[in-house]
Amino acid sequence: MTDTQAATPTLCRLQLGSELRQIRLKRGLTSTQVVKKLIWSPSKLTRLETGENVTVEPADVMALCQIYGVEQEAVDQLKEYAAVTKTKRDWWQSPEYRPVIGPGPKAFLGLESSASVLHTYGSEYVPGLLQTADYIRVLHQHARGRCSDEDIELIVELRLRRQEVLLRDPRLRYAVVINEAVLLRQVGGPSVMRAQLAQIMEAASAPHVNVQVVPFKAGVYRAMNGAFTIMRFPDSFAIKPITYLEHLAGNWVLRREADVDSYEEAFNELRALAPGPQESLSLIEKAMEEL
């Protein structure tokens, strides 16, 4: 049985959904057959199997287990996952953050906080886990819809707290590739950028953080269509990797194995094109000197 004591609600929702889906498929049942038996809407089962619900009712898990003929030991484990979603709350679900967290970012926060490995490509701006407070402020002063000063400060607080995942034990393994354009774009002017580049270098000094810069001279590469993050989860939880995309029009979570594999290949290409960590740090230092 998987230990859920230290698991986040998001991790338990994902594991619960993954296991229930696998059990359904092994029993040879379609989602349509299941929802007809339970008189559920199709979307209810879909949300449960993809881990999209904030909480999961143990009674719903029991109902599914009865249909699937699940053994008691497995039932107990599945009910424990559901219980975590009912009794624990992730820190970003605090009421003060509600005004600045939409459904897309909320889903991302849950996934990010649960991951054991993050692979991130930053194409236009410094990835969130490496941003300074001033850099965050400037970005959101120019964001779509223009945030109020109060909301911007909440966003700053939220993003800085996100960065605590880099300090947890066991530590998240974080590999990030940054487009050279990110280093040269003066977000907030020279002083803000100098502090931001110094922050990246400081983060890169940690043994579990790997920072590379893909230079202009690398030419064309397949990831040029935008930023993305690939998330992998602890081995003790049988959850497949997920890719998260964030663009002006919205946010997407890709779960299909072929899609995730495609982004992993693109990330591996980026790492091969970019110089190693030490040479990449030299590019960051050069950018600081030219400010």
Side-chain angles (χ1 to χ4, degrees):
M1 295 178 70
T2 302
D3 182 13
T4 59
Q5 292 299 312
T8 66
T10 298
L11 198 55
C12 287
R13 287 197 302 272
L14 290 170
Q15 180 70 9
L16 174 62
S18 176
E19 290 194 20
L20 286 173
R21 183 174 185 275
Q22 291 303 314
I23 293 169
R24 175 175 63 77
L25 293 175
K26 286 180 181 178
R27 299 296 188 268
L29 294 170
T30 67
S31 57
T32 300
Q33 290 172 319
V34 173
V35 297
K36 281 185 177 180
K37 285 178 179 288
L38 294 172
I39 319 178
W40 287 2
S41 68
S43 63
K44 178 173 179 176
L45 183 60
T46 299
R47 290 196 306 272
L48 199 159
E49 289 188 348
T50 56
E52 294 179 15
N53 290 331
V54 174
T55 61
V56 179
E57 295 295 336
D60 289 341
V61 174
M62 284 292 298
L64 289 170
C65 287
Q66 287 176 357
I67 290 175
Y68 301 157
V70 180
E71 295 181 358
Q72 189 58 48
E73 184 178 5
V75 172
D76 292 341
Q77 177 71 85
L78 294 170
K79 286 171 60 180
E80 188 173 340
Y81 293 140
V84 170
T85 75
K86 297 281 288 183
T87 58
K88 290 185 180 181
R89 287 291 181 271
D90 292 305
W91 60 265
W92 60 87
Q93 293 179 343
S94 178
E96 69 262 29
Y97 294 129
R98 286 176 187 164
V100 295
I101 304 181
K106 187 180 294 184
F108 175 72
L109 288 168
L111 296 169
E112 181 184 69
S113 69
S114 305
S116 58
V117 177
L118 288 179
H119 288 169
T120 298
Y121 171 54
S123 59
E124 294 296 324
Y125 52 83
V126 174
L129 293 184
L130 301 177
Q131 292 172 0
T132 65
D134 286 337
Y135 191 93
I136 298 165
R137 288 189 183 95
V138 175
L139 286 180
H140 284 86
Q141 285 165 359
H142 295 81
R144 178 180 55 152
R146 294 297 179 93
C147 301
S148 67
D149 291 343
E150 292 79 8
D151 283 352
I152 288 175
E153 290 309 309
L154 276 177
I155 292 168
V156 170
E157 181 182 336
L158 179 71
R159 191 155 298 181
L160 294 180
R161 190 162 180 186
R162 270 179 56 196
Q163 295 174 6
E164 293 176 6
V165 299
L166 295 177
L167 304 175
R168 74 183 181 205
D169 187 23
R171 288 178 171 177
L172 170 76
R173 286 176 288 157
Y174 184 44
V176 56
V177 178
I178 301 172
N179 185 351
E180 186 177 3
V182 173
L183 308 181
L184 304 180
R185 178 171 294 109
Q186 289 198 20
V187 174
S191 61
V192 171
M193 278 307 298
R194 191 171 292 110
Q196 177 59 76
L197 296 177
Q199 170 98 338
I200 297 172
M201 294 183 67
E202 181 179 354
S205 66
H208 61 294
V209 177
N210 185 292
V211 176
Q212 291 176 262
V213 177
V214 59
F216 293 135
K217 66 182 181 181
V220 178
Y221 48 90
R222 63 191 295 184
M224 290 178 68
N225 61 331
F228 60 88
T229 295
I230 302 163
M231 308 178 199
R232 295 184 178 276
F233 302 94
D235 292 339
S236 57
F237 286 78
I239 303 170
K240 293 182 179 181
I242 289 170
T243 297
Y244 179 82
L245 307 176
E246 184 176 2
H247 300 288
L248 188 62
N251 316 86
W252 294 270
V253 174
L254 303 180
R255 302 174 186 273
R256 199 164 66 96
E257 188 171 356
D259 293 331
V260 177
D261 287 347
S262 179
Y263 276 93
E264 192 68 77
E265 289 169 8
F267 190 77
N268 290 336
E269 180 189 48
L270 282 167
R271 297 187 76 174
L273 285 172
Q278 281 305 121
E279 191 175 341
S280 292
L281 288 179
S282 297
L283 289 173
I284 299 173
E285 288 177 339
K286 181 181 177 183
M288 289 178 68
E289 292 169 359
E290 293 177 353
L291 286 170

